[in-house]
Amino acid sequence: MNDIEDVKAVLNKWLTSLDSGNLEGMLETCDENVVVANEGQPTTIGIKAIADKYAPRIEAATFNSTFDIQHIAAYGDFALVVGHFGVESTNKATGDKSGGSGRLAINYRRHNDGSWKMILDMDNND
């Protein structure tokens, strides 16, 4: 695979892991110092903070995610993905549905072993 296909595979792993409730799979796609800056929420920094943020969400709900890539490029050991996300969640206890959509920019860094890991996830909602 080339760099673009490798980055797409990592993005897809995050999405499929979220949708299947696999927190460990999500974390495997992240740099240890990952920064997540979601609109209207405090900035989350580091793998432990990501686990603490997503574990209760995965416990409480199931997810169905979409992502439409609008731009993707690799610049040496860094990559940028920009696109439109959609997510629908279903509360496991009540069956209530909620969700959201918006634009998302994700930066990845290639590690020494050749793997790509997310270093920044920043979104804004529609």
Side-chain angles (χ1 to χ4, degrees):
M1 287 199 298
N2 63 39
D3 290 341
I4 298 300
E5 294 304 316
D6 290 343
V7 170
K8 286 180 179 179
V10 174
L11 172 59
N12 187 57
K13 181 174 181 177
W14 169 277
L15 295 170
T16 58
S17 293
L18 174 63
D19 290 353
S20 67
N22 178 4
L23 180 60
E24 287 304 313
M26 293 170 62
L27 298 177
E28 289 171 3
T29 70
C30 297
D31 185 89
E32 67 183 57
N33 297 307
V34 62
V35 176
V36 175
N38 296 131
E39 182 177 346
Q41 297 180 27
T43 301
T44 307
I45 302 171
I47 288 270
K48 170 89 170 81
I50 297 299
D52 292 346
K53 179 178 185 170
Y54 280 93
R57 294 176 182 188
I58 288 172
E59 181 70 27
T62 59
F63 296 90
N64 182 18
S65 305
T66 61
F67 191 79
D68 176 38
I69 295 174
Q70 297 169 332
H71 176 77
I72 185 168
Y75 307 95
D77 289 337
F78 290 91
L80 170 65
V81 180
V82 177
H84 190 268
F85 74 90
V87 64
E88 181 181 274
S89 63
T90 304
N91 184 293
K92 290 177 182 176
T94 66
D96 291 342
K97 293 190 182 297
S98 62
S101 62
R103 290 180 46 87
L104 180 64
I106 310 170
N107 289 108
Y108 292 90
R109 179 172 67 91
R110 185 186 351 242
H111 284 234
N112 291 336
D113 65 1
S115 66
W116 289 92
K117 304 285 184 173
M118 180 179 15
I119 58 170
L120 174 66
D121 171 333
M122 181 179 283
D123 69 19
N124 62 354
N125 296 312
D126 286 339

